[in-house]
Amino acid sequence: MCRKLLFLLLLPLLFSGVSPLLLSSESYSDACDPRSLPDPLTLRPDRLTVLINGYSEARLPLLNTLAATYAAHPLVDAVLVLWGDPSTPAATLASLSSRGGGSASVFVVRNPSTSLNARFLPRAAIRTRAVAVCDDDVEIDSRTLSFAFSIWGSRGGVALVGLFARSHDLDLERRRWIYSVHPDRYSIVLTKFMILSVDYLRQYSCWGRLSEARRLVDRERNCEDILMNFVVAKESGVGPVLVGGRVRDWGDPRNNGSGGGAEAAMGRMGLSARQGHRKKRGDCITEFHRMLGEMPLKYSYGRVVDGVGEQGLCEKAGKLVLCDRQD
């Protein structure tokens, strides 16, 4: 423990020509040792920590912009860029780090492996009750972030709150679960962007009963978000909450706008663009059910929106439009 503390204190000197805010990654043993983490009673309930998962150097320009945008938000206490490619030179990541200056600090955490489970490790740098877990290709409007955080707090901090929803369904003929999208219900929110209690990071990473499920995530390089939905649903007994808002998904393979080749390249990098992605995630649901011996996922319905506008339709100039529309 003393060696780790000394190492963290010396990091700014060791990397003085690169980045003063490069942090070492917690090991699973450290992350699951309460003595290595802040006292839960000292965690701020009125701020959140943003955890951005990064891997591709091709996305660094966008990641740099996203990290700075999050850091400038008044509700953000800190931004942790969780870098998942151990082979990336430290100098390549130097531009991501920043300290204060009216904004939250941005830290780069170099994970020792490519494991997707690392995005849910409890971390000593997290000083808030809530964390926002997000991808490096999703841009959230400032008002949407504030609204999602307020909804998380209004639900007692026990539910998962997200912007992208999916569902589980049962294939009766094959007697297996499938991964799907429903127009009227959902049971999973994605790590493209989700807000959750920091307590769930410990439960995901440290609960011995999940060791087999975490190994499946490592083996498949997929499904860590589904497993977190299992954890939260089991612990809270409630389904996730989908909020409406403005969000730009740069990594969606359906992009064909002015971003051109850059957008297309980012879309091809995403896990969701890989062949067999949906089947693999259905298999994950089936396996998590088997490993846990229960199906905790619960359906939610509807979307929570920020404000209610005009709902009536009126005929104006021969067209049905919202009654408050001014031509």
Side-chain angles (χ1 to χ4, degrees), residues 1-300:
M1 186 69 184
C2 293
R3 289 182 179 178
K4 181 183 177 183
L5 178 60
L6 179 62
F7 178 66
L8 289 173
L9 291 173
L10 290 175
L11 268 174
L13 300 176
L14 295 173
F15 293 96
S16 58
V18 179
S19 167
L21 299 180
L22 182 70
L23 300 182
S24 64
S25 178
E26 284 81 355
S27 66
Y28 273 94
S29 58
D30 287 338
C32 295
D33 182 353
R35 296 170 298 178
S36 69
L37 301 173
D39 182 343
L41 296 178
T42 67
L43 299 177
R44 296 192 62 168
D46 60 336
R47 297 288 186 273
L48 76 162
T49 303
V50 178
L51 309 178
I52 310 177
N53 202 55
Y55 182 86
S56 169
E57 292 181 33
R59 290 180 177 176
L60 278 174
L62 176 60
L63 177 54
N64 201 15
T65 299
L66 296 180
T69 300
Y70 282 124
H73 196 286
L75 294 178
V76 172
D77 182 70
V79 178
L80 274 61
V81 177
L82 310 179
W83 193 256
D85 185 356
S87 67
T88 303
T92 303
L93 304 176
S95 63
L96 291 173
S97 299
S98 66
R99 186 186 299 277
S103 299
S105 295
V106 178
F107 300 91
V108 176
V109 182
R110 294 179 63 98
N111 291 324
S113 74
T114 60
S115 173
L116 290 174
N117 288 311
R119 71 189 310 181
F120 292 132
L121 277 176
R123 300 181 185 276
I126 299 175
R127 303 284 175 169
T128 59
R129 290 289 306 160
V131 293
V133 177
C134 51
D135 286 346
D136 60 353
D137 56 0
V138 174
E139 187 174 359
I140 307 298
D141 174 76
S142 176
R143 180 173 173 175
T144 299
L145 176 59
S146 298
F147 178 60
F149 182 52
S150 71
I151 294 301
W152 175 82
S154 73
R155 303 301 173 99
V158 298
L160 271 178
V161 173
L163 297 172
F164 299 85
R166 299 293 186 268
S167 182
H168 70 297
D169 266 327
L170 184 61
D171 184 333
L172 292 174
E173 183 176 335
R174 297 175 59 234
R175 300 181 63 83
R176 295 183 65 84
W177 293 104
I178 59 176
Y179 176 76
S180 62
V181 180
H182 271 288
D184 58 356
R185 66 180 183 181
Y186 56 94
S187 56
I188 296 166
V189 292
L190 306 183
T191 44
K192 284 175 178 286
F193 182 88
M194 64 164 62
I195 295 179
L196 65 155
S197 167
V198 70
D199 295 337
Y200 294 133
L201 301 183
R202 179 173 172 80
Q203 289 164 2
Y204 179 104
S205 300
C206 307
W207 192 22
R209 193 177 173 189
L210 291 182
S211 57
E212 185 182 3
R214 291 192 297 267
R215 286 195 295 271
L216 185 149
V217 169
D218 283 336
R219 185 169 65 250
E220 298 296 336
R221 290 280 300 151
N222 205 328
C223 304
E224 82 287 357
D225 51 349
I226 296 176
L227 182 56
M228 177 56 85
N229 278 268
F230 266 72
V231 170
V232 176
K234 177 175 174 55
E235 291 298 309
S236 68
V238 299
V241 180
L242 179 66
V243 298
R246 294 176 60 84
V247 53
R248 176 72 161 93
D249 187 355
W250 292 88
D252 193 310
R254 295 168 296 183
N255 274 301
N256 62 359
S258 58
E263 287 183 356
M266 281 191 281
R268 288 193 296 270
M269 292 174 204
L271 288 174
S272 61
R274 298 178 184 176
Q275 188 173 10
H277 173 73
R278 184 170 292 192
K279 179 184 182 304
K280 179 178 289 188
R281 288 170 71 80
D283 291 343
C284 284
I285 296 172
T286 299
E287 285 301 297
F288 292 155
H289 180 189
R290 178 188 64 79
M291 293 169 185
L292 292 177
E294 61 180 302
M295 170 47 73
L297 295 181
K298 292 178 170 55
Y299 290 115
S300 297

